[in-house]
Amino acid sequence: MNQSATNILCSVDTAPAWYLVHCKPRQDARAEEHLLRQGYTCYRPQHSCERIVRGRRQTVSESLFPSYLFIQLASDANWAPLRSTRGVSRIVAFGGMPLRLDNSLIAHLQQRTATIVKPALEAGDSVRITQGGFAELDAIFVAMDGEQRVLLLLNMLNRQQQISMPLTSVIKN
């Protein structure tokens, strides 16, 4: 082997870098759990959203990129256990080489996803109607009316009227 080839091989960067892992459908949380147990550094960006679960509005945390997570590995690390980890499908690669991500991308995602969780609505909460004929009026949340609708008390003509609206048309004051 000539001197220039030896220099190239010796200058390979072995510092940890971030890579993208493709997970099996709806198993990104499971894959993350098993990778963390094996001692890998993982990051699965999540966001909070409100869903109707068993007839109640709840704030749930979901993956920002379903079926994907990020893993930090050194280029000289043992990659073999990744293939047999529960929930993991493969490492995203192009031309047979794993896709190395820029560290600033992960730092930016971590900064952007660190947000305050908005609480779910409870009976008696003050809400503002954002859409429809009653837009910009304040009301009082009474209860859920099915999975995607809410019952509200609205003060109209000095009387409280109960109305039903889409869940997406109200925000908590």
Side-chain angles (χ1 to χ4, degrees):
M1 186 179 289
N2 65 24
Q3 184 63 28
S4 63
T6 305
N7 288 343
I8 291 172
L9 289 175
C10 292
S11 66
V12 173
D13 188 14
T14 59
W18 288 98
Y19 297 91
L20 188 60
V21 175
H22 183 245
C23 303
K24 294 177 181 172
R26 292 178 297 284
Q27 292 191 26
D28 43 339
R30 175 188 231 183
E32 180 185 34
E33 176 187 347
H34 287 279
L35 289 169
L36 289 172
R37 278 191 199 158
Q38 294 176 50
Y40 292 106
T41 302
C42 299
Y43 175 58
R44 184 171 56 104
Q46 298 179 42
H47 67 99
S48 297
C49 62
E50 291 185 348
R51 295 272 184 238
I52 307 301
V53 180
R54 295 185 199 108
R56 302 192 78 200
R57 189 176 191 171
Q58 293 181 349
T59 302
V60 295
S61 185
E62 295 181 346
S63 291
L64 192 59
F65 307 111
S67 296
Y68 291 94
L69 63 89
F70 301 98
I71 188 168
Q72 191 174 35
L73 296 166
S75 60
D76 62 348
N78 184 9
W79 295 51
L82 296 176
R83 287 189 295 260
S84 61
T85 300
R86 287 181 165 222
V88 172
S89 178
R90 64 185 177 89
I91 298 285
V92 175
F94 292 98
M97 295 296 296
L99 176 64
R100 185 181 181 138
L101 302 172
D102 190 26
N103 289 339
S104 65
L105 171 67
I106 304 302
H108 182 71
L109 280 172
Q110 289 171 333
Q111 179 186 9
R112 297 279 300 203
T113 57
T115 59
I116 299 171
V117 176
K118 188 173 108 178
L121 289 173
E122 295 180 15
D125 284 348
S126 176
V127 296
R128 177 166 293 257
I129 301 170
T130 59
Q131 299 172 355
F134 300 113
E136 302 303 317
L137 294 178
D138 291 328
I140 297 172
F141 175 75
V142 176
M144 293 302 300
D145 184 21
E147 289 189 15
Q148 298 297 321
R149 296 188 67 81
V150 292
L151 287 176
L152 303 174
L153 284 179
L154 188 61
N155 194 4
M156 292 176 25
L157 302 173
N158 294 327
R159 291 185 59 192
Q160 285 192 335
Q161 299 292 322
Q162 190 169 336
I163 60 171
S164 177
M165 301 201 71
L167 175 64
T168 58
S169 297
V170 297
I171 57 170
K172 188 174 181 177
N173 277 339

